[in-house]
Amino acid sequence: MGTATHQTSVQARGALRAWRNFLAGACALALSAAFVSPALAADDWQEGAGADWQAMLAKAKTEGCVVLSMGAPVGEKFAEAFQRDTGVKLDFLGGTTQTVQARFMREVESANLTIDIQIGGSGELALPRDQMQPIQPLLVLPKVKDGKYWTDGHIFYIDSQRMYFPQAADYVSFRVFANADKVNVADLKKFEDLLDPKYKGKIVSADPTGMAGGQGFSEGVMNSRGAEFLEKLYKGQDIRLSRNGTQLVEMAVRGTNPIVIGALQADIDKFVSQGFNLQYVDFADWPNYSTGGRSVVKMPKNAPHPNAAAVFVNWFLSKPGQELYEELLQEPSRRTDVAHKGIPSYMFLKPGIDYIETYNEEYITKLRPVVNKKMMEIFNK
Protein backbone atom coordinates (compact mmCIF):
# COMPACT_ATOMS: atom_id res chain seq x y z
CA MET A 1 0.00 0.00 0.00
CA GLY A 2 1.42 3.40 -0.97
CA THR A 3 1.96 6.17 1.58
CA ALA A 4 -0.82 8.37 0.16
CA THR A 5 -3.28 5.49 0.11
CA HIS A 6 -2.33 4.52 3.67
CA GLN A 7 -2.80 8.11 4.88
CA THR A 8 -6.22 8.30 3.20
CA SER A 9 -7.25 5.04 4.86
CA VAL A 10 -6.07 6.27 8.28
CA GLN A 11 -7.93 9.56 7.78
CA ALA A 12 -11.10 7.71 6.80
CA ARG A 13 -10.90 5.48 9.88
CA GLY A 14 -10.24 8.52 12.04
CA ALA A 15 -13.27 10.32 10.60
CA LEU A 16 -15.43 7.29 11.25
CA ARG A 17 -14.22 7.03 14.86
CA ALA A 18 -14.94 10.73 15.33
CA TRP A 19 -18.46 10.24 13.97
CA ARG A 20 -19.10 7.29 16.29
CA ASN A 21 -17.83 9.33 19.24
CA PHE A 22 -20.08 12.21 18.23
CA LEU A 23 -23.11 9.95 18.13
CA ALA A 24 -22.19 8.39 21.46
CA GLY A 25 -21.94 11.86 22.96
CA ALA A 26 -25.25 12.93 21.47
CA CYS A 27 -26.94 9.87 22.91
CA ALA A 28 -25.31 10.51 26.27
CA LEU A 29 -26.71 14.04 26.25
CA ALA A 30 -30.13 12.66 25.41
CA LEU A 31 -29.84 10.18 28.29
CA SER A 32 -29.01 12.95 30.75
CA ALA A 33 -32.11 14.91 29.78
CA ALA A 34 -35.28 14.59 31.85
CA PHE A 35 -37.77 12.62 29.82
CA VAL A 36 -41.42 13.44 30.02
CA SER A 37 -43.91 10.67 29.34
CA PRO A 38 -45.78 11.44 26.13
CA ALA A 39 -49.37 12.52 26.59
CA LEU A 40 -51.95 9.99 25.48
CA ALA A 41 -54.11 11.19 22.62
CA ALA A 42 -57.80 10.38 22.37
CA ASP A 43 -56.96 7.85 19.64
CA ASP A 44 -53.81 6.58 21.31
CA TRP A 45 -51.40 4.75 19.02
CA GLN A 46 -50.09 2.85 22.08
CA GLU A 47 -53.54 1.64 23.14
CA GLY A 48 -53.47 -1.94 24.42
CA ALA A 49 -49.68 -2.06 24.65
CA GLY A 50 -48.53 -4.39 27.40
CA ALA A 51 -45.45 -5.03 29.48
CA ASP A 52 -43.27 -5.87 26.46
CA TRP A 53 -43.77 -2.39 25.04
CA GLN A 54 -43.17 -0.65 28.36
CA ALA A 55 -39.96 -2.64 28.89
CA MET A 56 -38.78 -1.85 25.34
CA LEU A 57 -39.53 1.84 25.83
CA ALA A 58 -37.69 1.94 29.18
CA LYS A 59 -34.59 0.29 27.67
CA ALA A 60 -34.75 2.69 24.70
CA LYS A 61 -34.64 5.66 27.05
CA THR A 62 -31.63 4.13 28.77
CA GLU A 63 -29.86 3.81 25.40
CA GLY A 64 -30.56 7.49 24.86
CA CYS A 65 -31.26 7.81 21.13
CA VAL A 66 -31.83 6.10 17.79
CA VAL A 67 -29.79 6.90 14.67
CA LEU A 68 -31.96 7.07 11.55
CA SER A 69 -30.63 7.20 7.99
CA MET A 70 -32.86 8.34 5.13
CA GLY A 71 -32.47 9.92 1.70
CA ALA A 72 -35.11 12.61 2.24
CA PRO A 73 -35.07 15.98 4.06
CA VAL A 74 -37.29 14.83 6.92
CA GLY A 75 -34.86 14.71 9.83
CA GLU A 76 -36.04 17.69 11.84
CA LYS A 77 -39.72 16.78 11.61
CA PHE A 78 -39.11 13.10 12.38
CA ALA A 79 -36.87 13.92 15.34
CA GLU A 80 -39.38 16.37 16.81
CA ALA A 81 -42.37 14.03 16.46
CA PHE A 82 -40.56 10.89 17.63
CA GLN A 83 -39.21 12.52 20.79
CA ARG A 84 -42.60 14.11 21.49
CA ASP A 85 -44.37 10.76 21.20
CA THR A 86 -41.82 8.46 22.87
CA GLY A 87 -39.37 10.56 24.86
CA VAL A 88 -36.47 9.09 22.86
CA LYS A 89 -34.05 11.29 20.93
CA LEU A 90 -33.52 10.77 17.20
CA ASP A 91 -30.28 11.60 15.37
CA PHE A 92 -30.67 11.87 11.62
CA LEU A 93 -28.25 11.07 8.80
CA GLY A 94 -29.44 12.51 5.49
CA GLY A 95 -28.18 12.92 1.95
CA THR A 96 -29.16 11.66 -1.47
CA THR A 97 -30.87 8.30 -1.73
CA GLN A 98 -27.77 6.80 -3.33
CA THR A 99 -25.24 8.09 -0.75
CA VAL A 100 -27.44 7.10 2.18
CA GLN A 101 -28.01 3.62 0.80
CA ALA A 102 -24.34 3.12 -0.05
CA ARG A 103 -23.22 4.16 3.42
CA PHE A 104 -25.73 1.88 5.13
CA MET A 105 -24.74 -1.13 3.03
CA ARG A 106 -21.05 -0.50 3.74
CA GLU A 107 -21.65 -0.20 7.47
CA VAL A 108 -23.80 -3.32 7.68
CA GLU A 109 -20.99 -5.36 6.16
CA SER A 110 -18.32 -3.82 8.39
CA ALA A 111 -17.56 -3.77 12.11
CA ASN A 112 -18.09 0.00 12.31
CA LEU A 113 -21.86 0.23 12.62
CA THR A 114 -23.35 3.61 13.61
CA ILE A 115 -26.81 3.40 12.00
CA ASP A 116 -29.77 1.81 13.79
CA ILE A 117 -32.46 2.17 11.14
CA GLN A 118 -32.45 2.96 7.43
CA ILE A 119 -35.63 3.87 5.56
CA GLY A 120 -35.68 3.94 1.78
CA GLY A 121 -36.18 1.74 -1.25
CA SER A 122 -35.49 -1.85 -2.19
CA GLY A 123 -31.75 -1.90 -2.91
CA GLU A 124 -30.87 -3.39 0.47
CA LEU A 125 -32.47 -6.67 -0.56
CA ALA A 126 -28.96 -7.53 -1.72
CA LEU A 127 -27.70 -7.64 1.88
CA PRO A 128 -27.21 -11.10 3.45
CA ARG A 129 -30.09 -11.93 5.78
CA ASP A 130 -27.74 -13.00 8.57
CA GLN A 131 -26.58 -9.39 8.78
CA MET A 132 -30.11 -8.02 9.14
CA GLN A 133 -32.52 -7.96 12.08
CA PRO A 134 -35.98 -9.42 11.40
CA ILE A 135 -38.49 -6.63 11.99
CA GLN A 136 -41.59 -8.79 12.43
CA PRO A 137 -40.68 -10.12 15.93
CA LEU A 138 -40.04 -6.56 17.16
CA LEU A 139 -43.60 -5.36 16.50
CA VAL A 140 -45.48 -5.35 19.80
CA LEU A 141 -48.09 -2.59 19.47
CA PRO A 142 -51.62 -3.95 18.86
CA LYS A 143 -52.42 -1.06 16.53
CA VAL A 144 -49.40 -1.94 14.42
CA LYS A 145 -49.69 -5.72 14.40
CA ASP A 146 -53.46 -5.95 13.84
CA GLY A 147 -54.18 -6.58 10.14
CA LYS A 148 -57.29 -4.37 10.14
CA TYR A 149 -55.01 -1.33 10.13
CA TRP A 150 -53.33 -2.37 6.87
CA THR A 151 -54.35 -2.70 3.24
CA ASP A 152 -54.99 -6.36 2.36
CA GLY A 153 -55.16 -7.18 6.07
CA HIS A 154 -51.45 -7.37 6.83
CA ILE A 155 -48.11 -5.57 6.87
CA PHE A 156 -46.36 -6.18 3.56
CA TYR A 157 -42.72 -7.29 3.54
CA ILE A 158 -40.67 -7.04 0.36
CA ASP A 159 -38.30 -9.88 1.24
CA SER A 160 -39.25 -13.44 0.32
CA GLN A 161 -39.14 -14.48 4.00
CA ARG A 162 -41.77 -11.83 4.79
CA MET A 163 -40.17 -10.64 8.02
CA TYR A 164 -37.14 -8.41 7.40
CA PHE A 165 -38.16 -5.38 5.28
CA PRO A 166 -41.67 -3.96 5.89
CA GLN A 167 -43.02 -1.68 3.15
CA ALA A 168 -45.17 1.03 4.68
CA ALA A 169 -46.38 2.83 1.52
CA ASP A 170 -47.87 1.56 -1.73
CA TYR A 171 -48.88 3.48 -4.84
CA VAL A 172 -48.91 3.55 -8.65
CA SER A 173 -45.37 3.60 -9.94
CA PHE A 174 -43.39 4.89 -12.94
CA ARG A 175 -45.50 7.94 -13.69
CA VAL A 176 -44.81 10.33 -16.57
CA PHE A 177 -45.63 14.04 -16.37
CA ALA A 178 -45.71 16.71 -19.05
CA ASN A 179 -45.73 20.49 -19.10
CA ALA A 180 -49.15 20.98 -20.67
CA ASP A 181 -48.22 24.51 -21.76
CA LYS A 182 -45.52 23.03 -24.02
CA VAL A 183 -46.89 19.59 -24.90
CA ASN A 184 -50.35 18.48 -25.97
CA VAL A 185 -50.90 15.78 -23.36
CA ALA A 186 -53.77 14.34 -25.43
CA ASP A 187 -51.20 13.25 -28.04
CA LEU A 188 -49.62 10.90 -25.53
CA LYS A 189 -52.12 8.06 -25.63
CA LYS A 190 -49.87 5.01 -25.80
CA PHE A 191 -46.48 4.52 -24.19
CA GLU A 192 -44.84 4.12 -27.60
CA ASP A 193 -45.89 7.70 -28.40
CA LEU A 194 -42.82 8.75 -26.41
CA LEU A 195 -40.80 7.49 -29.40
CA ASP A 196 -42.33 10.12 -31.71
CA PRO A 197 -39.47 12.10 -33.33
CA LYS A 198 -41.05 15.36 -32.19
CA TYR A 199 -40.14 14.47 -28.61
CA LYS A 200 -36.47 13.80 -29.36
CA GLY A 201 -34.39 15.90 -26.98
CA LYS A 202 -37.54 16.95 -25.12
CA ILE A 203 -37.57 14.30 -22.38
CA VAL A 204 -35.72 14.42 -19.07
CA SER A 205 -35.32 11.44 -16.76
CA ALA A 206 -34.03 10.72 -13.31
CA ASP A 207 -30.68 9.10 -14.00
CA PRO A 208 -31.34 5.34 -14.37
CA THR A 209 -27.71 4.60 -13.52
CA GLY A 210 -27.72 6.46 -10.23
CA MET A 211 -31.14 7.66 -9.02
CA ALA A 212 -33.92 5.51 -7.61
CA GLY A 213 -36.79 6.93 -9.69
CA GLY A 214 -34.85 6.60 -12.92
CA GLN A 215 -33.57 3.14 -12.10
CA GLY A 216 -37.03 1.83 -11.34
CA PHE A 217 -38.54 3.40 -14.45
CA SER A 218 -35.93 1.85 -16.74
CA GLU A 219 -36.58 -1.52 -15.10
CA GLY A 220 -40.28 -1.13 -15.81
CA VAL A 221 -39.59 -0.31 -19.47
CA MET A 222 -37.29 -3.31 -19.83
CA ASN A 223 -39.80 -5.61 -18.12
CA SER A 224 -42.74 -4.54 -20.28
CA ARG A 225 -41.13 -3.54 -23.62
CA GLY A 226 -37.73 -5.24 -23.74
CA ALA A 227 -34.13 -4.12 -24.31
CA GLU A 228 -34.67 -2.82 -27.86
CA PHE A 229 -37.43 -0.44 -26.80
CA LEU A 230 -35.35 0.64 -23.79
CA GLU A 231 -32.50 1.67 -26.09
CA LYS A 232 -34.81 3.38 -28.58
CA LEU A 233 -36.31 5.44 -25.78
CA TYR A 234 -33.26 6.49 -23.79
CA LYS A 235 -30.66 6.67 -26.55
CA GLY A 236 -32.79 7.19 -29.64
CA GLN A 237 -34.79 10.00 -28.06
CA ASP A 238 -31.70 11.65 -26.63
CA ILE A 239 -33.13 11.69 -23.12
CA ARG A 240 -31.42 14.11 -20.77
CA LEU A 241 -30.52 12.79 -17.32
CA SER A 242 -30.42 14.38 -13.89
CA ARG A 243 -29.67 13.16 -10.37
CA ASN A 244 -31.21 16.22 -8.76
CA GLY A 245 -34.94 15.87 -8.09
CA THR A 246 -35.69 19.59 -8.10
CA GLN A 247 -33.62 20.22 -11.21
CA LEU A 248 -35.39 17.34 -12.94
CA VAL A 249 -38.80 18.99 -12.62
CA GLU A 250 -37.43 22.49 -13.21
CA MET A 251 -36.34 21.43 -16.71
CA ALA A 252 -39.91 20.37 -17.42
CA VAL A 253 -41.56 23.55 -16.13
CA ARG A 254 -39.07 25.75 -18.01
CA GLY A 255 -39.96 23.91 -21.20
CA THR A 256 -36.45 22.84 -22.21
CA ASN A 257 -37.45 19.22 -21.53
CA PRO A 258 -41.22 19.37 -21.07
CA ILE A 259 -41.70 15.62 -20.49
CA VAL A 260 -40.31 14.21 -17.24
CA ILE A 261 -39.99 10.61 -16.08
CA GLY A 262 -38.83 9.23 -12.76
CA ALA A 263 -39.68 12.36 -10.72
CA LEU A 264 -40.65 12.15 -7.06
CA GLN A 265 -44.21 13.14 -6.26
CA ALA A 266 -43.11 15.69 -3.66
CA ASP A 267 -41.11 17.55 -6.34
CA ILE A 268 -44.04 17.46 -8.78
CA ASP A 269 -46.43 18.76 -6.11
CA LYS A 270 -44.05 21.59 -5.17
CA PHE A 271 -44.14 23.04 -8.69
CA VAL A 272 -47.85 22.35 -9.22
CA SER A 273 -48.60 24.30 -6.01
CA GLN A 274 -46.70 27.23 -7.55
CA GLY A 275 -49.07 27.23 -10.54
CA PHE A 276 -47.06 25.29 -13.11
CA ASN A 277 -49.17 23.22 -15.48
CA LEU A 278 -47.66 19.78 -14.97
CA GLN A 279 -50.08 17.02 -15.87
CA TYR A 280 -50.00 13.29 -15.27
CA VAL A 281 -49.81 11.27 -18.49
CA ASP A 282 -52.13 8.28 -18.23
CA PHE A 283 -51.02 5.90 -20.97
CA ALA A 284 -53.70 3.42 -22.00
CA ASP A 285 -51.22 0.56 -22.46
CA TRP A 286 -48.67 1.14 -19.70
CA PRO A 287 -48.57 -1.85 -17.31
CA ASN A 288 -49.92 -1.47 -13.80
CA TYR A 289 -46.87 -1.16 -11.57
CA SER A 290 -46.82 -0.46 -7.84
CA THR A 291 -43.98 0.72 -5.61
CA GLY A 292 -43.15 1.32 -1.98
CA GLY A 293 -41.25 4.53 -2.68
CA ARG A 294 -39.01 5.47 0.25
CA SER A 295 -40.97 3.59 2.92
CA VAL A 296 -39.09 0.32 3.43
CA VAL A 297 -37.62 -0.19 6.91
CA LYS A 298 -34.26 -1.93 7.48
CA MET A 299 -32.47 -2.65 10.74
CA PRO A 300 -28.98 -4.18 10.97
CA LYS A 301 -28.54 -7.19 13.21
CA ASN A 302 -26.12 -5.46 15.59
CA ALA A 303 -27.72 -2.03 15.75
CA PRO A 304 -25.94 0.22 18.31
CA HIS A 305 -29.25 1.08 20.00
CA PRO A 306 -31.45 -1.97 19.42
CA ASN A 307 -34.28 -1.09 21.80
CA ALA A 308 -34.51 2.50 20.59
CA ALA A 309 -34.52 1.13 17.04
CA ALA A 310 -37.35 -1.27 17.91
CA VAL A 311 -39.34 1.59 19.45
CA PHE A 312 -38.80 3.64 16.30
CA VAL A 313 -39.99 0.83 14.05
CA ASN A 314 -43.20 0.45 16.06
CA TRP A 315 -43.75 4.22 16.02
CA PHE A 316 -42.97 4.60 12.31
CA LEU A 317 -45.52 1.92 11.42
CA SER A 318 -48.12 3.43 13.75
CA LYS A 319 -50.74 5.98 12.75
CA PRO A 320 -48.77 9.12 13.82
CA GLY A 321 -45.59 7.83 12.16
CA GLN A 322 -47.34 7.08 8.89
CA GLU A 323 -49.32 10.32 8.91
CA LEU A 324 -46.07 12.27 9.18
CA TYR A 325 -44.34 10.14 6.53
CA GLU A 326 -47.22 10.68 4.10
CA GLU A 327 -47.38 14.41 4.81
CA LEU A 328 -43.66 14.94 4.21
CA LEU A 329 -43.09 12.62 1.25
CA GLN A 330 -46.54 12.61 -0.40
CA GLU A 331 -46.44 8.82 -0.75
CA PRO A 332 -49.69 7.02 0.26
CA SER A 333 -49.38 4.83 3.34
CA ARG A 334 -50.74 1.28 3.41
CA ARG A 335 -52.38 2.00 6.77
CA THR A 336 -56.16 2.08 6.55
CA ASP A 337 -56.55 4.78 9.22
CA VAL A 338 -54.42 7.44 7.48
CA ALA A 339 -56.51 10.11 5.76
CA HIS A 340 -54.34 10.59 2.62
CA LYS A 341 -54.72 14.38 2.71
CA GLY A 342 -53.68 16.08 -0.52
CA ILE A 343 -52.53 12.91 -2.30
CA PRO A 344 -53.46 12.99 -6.04
CA SER A 345 -56.02 10.36 -7.08
CA TYR A 346 -53.78 8.93 -9.81
CA MET A 347 -51.37 7.62 -7.16
CA PHE A 348 -53.79 5.20 -5.53
CA LEU A 349 -54.03 1.54 -6.48
CA LYS A 350 -57.45 0.70 -7.93
CA PRO A 351 -59.48 -2.30 -6.71
CA GLY A 352 -59.73 -5.22 -9.12
CA ILE A 353 -56.45 -4.48 -10.92
CA ASP A 354 -53.46 -6.79 -10.64
CA TYR A 355 -50.39 -4.63 -10.09
CA ILE A 356 -46.83 -5.75 -10.73
CA GLU A 357 -45.05 -5.31 -7.41
CA THR A 358 -41.73 -3.69 -8.22
CA TYR A 359 -40.61 -4.07 -4.61
CA ASN A 360 -40.65 -7.81 -5.04
CA GLU A 361 -37.45 -9.72 -4.33
CA GLU A 362 -37.65 -11.91 -7.42
CA TYR A 363 -38.46 -8.94 -9.69
CA ILE A 364 -35.53 -6.95 -8.33
CA THR A 365 -32.86 -9.63 -8.09
CA LYS A 366 -33.50 -10.99 -11.58
CA LEU A 367 -34.27 -7.81 -13.51
CA ARG A 368 -32.10 -5.12 -11.89
CA PRO A 369 -28.64 -6.50 -12.84
CA VAL A 370 -29.70 -6.96 -16.48
CA VAL A 371 -31.13 -3.43 -16.74
CA ASN A 372 -28.17 -1.86 -14.96
CA LYS A 373 -25.80 -3.47 -17.45
CA LYS A 374 -27.91 -2.33 -20.40
CA MET A 375 -28.17 1.25 -19.17
CA MET A 376 -24.42 1.45 -18.61
CA GLU A 377 -23.95 0.31 -22.21
CA ILE A 378 -26.42 2.88 -23.51
CA PHE A 379 -24.75 5.76 -21.70
CA ASN A 380 -21.18 4.41 -22.07
CA LYS A 381 -20.54 4.41 -18.33
Side-chain angles (χ1 to χ4, degrees), residues 163-174:
M163 62 187 303
Y164 287 92
F165 302 141
Q167 172 185 314
D170 203 10
Y171 55 97
V172 175
S173 186
F174 310 150

Side-chain angles (χ1 to χ4, degrees), residues 14 53-54 92-93 106 112 121 162 169 185 262 328 335 367 377:
W53 170 248
Q54 296 304 325
F92 185 77
L93 301 179
R106 284 196 306 269
N112 300 311
R162 297 292 189 251
V185 178
L328 296 177
R335 280 196 67 103
L367 184 64
E377 291 174 358

Side-chain angles (χ1 to χ4, degrees), residues 199-213:
Y199 300 128
K200 185 172 183 177
K202 300 295 184 182
I203 305 173
V204 62
S205 169
D207 189 344
T209 67
M211 190 173 178

Side-chain angles (χ1 to χ4, degrees), residues 63 113-117 133 299-307 309:
E63 290 172 350
L113 189 59
T114 63
I115 299 169
D116 294 301
I117 295 289
Q133 168 65 45
M299 179 177 172
K301 188 174 184 180
N302 298 311
H305 312 97
N307 292 286

Side-chain angles (χ1 to χ4, degrees), residues 7-18:
Q7 289 175 343
T8 301
S9 178
V10 170
Q11 290 171 352
R13 290 197 300 271
L16 185 56
R17 282 195 299 271

Side-chain angles (χ1 to χ4, degrees), residues 40-362:
L40 299 182
D43 180 21
D44 181 28
W45 58 282
Q46 302 174 85
E47 184 180 353
D52 288 346
W53 170 248
Q54 296 304 325
M56 183 187 293
L57 194 57
K59 291 177 182 177
K61 291 178 180 179
T62 299
E63 290 172 350
C65 73
V66 62
V67 179
L68 170 67
S69 171
M70 193 171 180
V74 298
E76 183 178 346
K77 295 290 186 180
F78 265 57
E80 178 184 341
F82 182 64
Q83 186 161 8
R84 177 200 65 211
D85 290 346
T86 67
V88 180
K89 187 175 183 293
L90 183 149
D91 287 325
F92 185 77
L93 301 179
T96 67
T97 300
Q98 290 70 38
T99 57
V100 164
Q101 182 189 76
R103 174 175 177 161
F104 179 72
M105 295 181 76
R106 284 196 306 269
E107 284 203 15
V108 167
E109 296 182 320
S110 75
N112 300 311
L113 189 59
T114 63
I115 299 169
D116 294 301
I117 295 289
Q118 202 267 341
I119 300 178
S122 57
E124 291 80 1
L125 278 168
L127 289 168
R129 295 294 185 268
D130 62 0
Q131 295 177 340
M132 302 304 297
Q133 168 65 45
I135 296 292
Q136 192 272 337
L138 301 179
L139 303 181
V140 297
L141 292 179
K143 287 191 173 184
V144 170
K145 295 194 301 179
D146 194 329
K148 72 180 182 181
Y149 294 105
W150 297 96
T151 302
D152 299 327
H154 60 87
I155 295 175
F156 180 76
Y157 292 82
I158 69 173
D159 57 281
S160 56
Q161 294 89 352
R162 297 292 189 251
M163 62 187 303
Y164 287 92
F165 302 141
Q167 172 185 314
D170 203 10
Y171 55 97
V172 175
S173 186
F174 310 150
R175 299 176 308 282
V176 175
F177 293 86
N179 180 342
D181 293 332
K182 302 292 184 179
V183 172
N184 184 359
V185 178
D187 290 342
L188 294 166
K189 297 181 177 65
K190 295 182 179 181
F191 192 72
E192 65 184 25
D193 290 335
L194 289 175
L195 299 182
D196 191 312
K198 69 182 177 182
Y199 300 128
K200 185 172 183 177
K202 300 295 184 182
I203 305 173
V204 62
S205 169
D207 189 344
T209 67
M211 190 173 178
Q215 181 183 52
F217 198 96
S218 64
E219 290 167 359
V221 174
M222 179 79 151
N223 182 63
S224 62
R225 296 295 193 275
E228 184 179 350
F229 189 100
L230 187 73
E231 185 161 359
K232 285 181 179 178
L233 177 61
Y234 282 88
K235 187 174 184 179
Q237 289 296 77
D238 194 20
I239 288 183
R240 187 174 178 181
L241 306 181
S242 174
R243 293 192 180 189
N244 182 299
T246 300
Q247 181 191 62
L248 186 71
V249 185
E250 277 182 346
M251 285 189 274
V253 300
R254 288 175 180 171
T256 55
N257 300 86
I259 299 174
V260 56
I261 58 182
L264 297 173
Q265 189 63 39
D267 292 322
I268 293 291
D269 290 345
K270 179 172 64 177
F271 285 94
V272 169
S273 68
Q274 295 172 14
F276 292 101
N277 194 12
L278 289 171
Q279 294 187 17
Y280 168 60
V281 181
D282 189 9
F283 297 106
D285 61 341
W286 183 233
N288 299 303
Y289 288 105
S290 67
T291 182
R294 292 168 285 176
S295 74
V296 181
V297 184
K298 307 103 181 181
M299 179 177 172
K301 188 174 184 180
N302 298 311
H305 312 97
N307 292 286
V311 168
F312 179 83
V313 170
N314 278 271
W315 175 83
F316 178 71
L317 296 175
S318 73
K319 183 179 179 180
Q322 284 301 287
E323 284 179 334
L324 182 60
Y325 171 88
E326 189 173 282
E327 175 190 342
L328 296 177
L329 277 77
Q330 291 297 290
E331 297 176 356
S333 173
R334 295 187 74 253
R335 280 196 67 103
T336 57
D337 56 354
V338 172
H340 307 310
K341 296 178 181 178
I343 305 293
S345 60
Y346 53 73
M347 294 190 70
F348 293 99
L349 306 185
K350 297 181 176 64
I353 294 178
D354 290 328
Y355 288 87
I356 300 171
E357 296 171 352
T358 61
Y359 278 18
N360 172 286
E361 187 156 13
E362 183 176 4

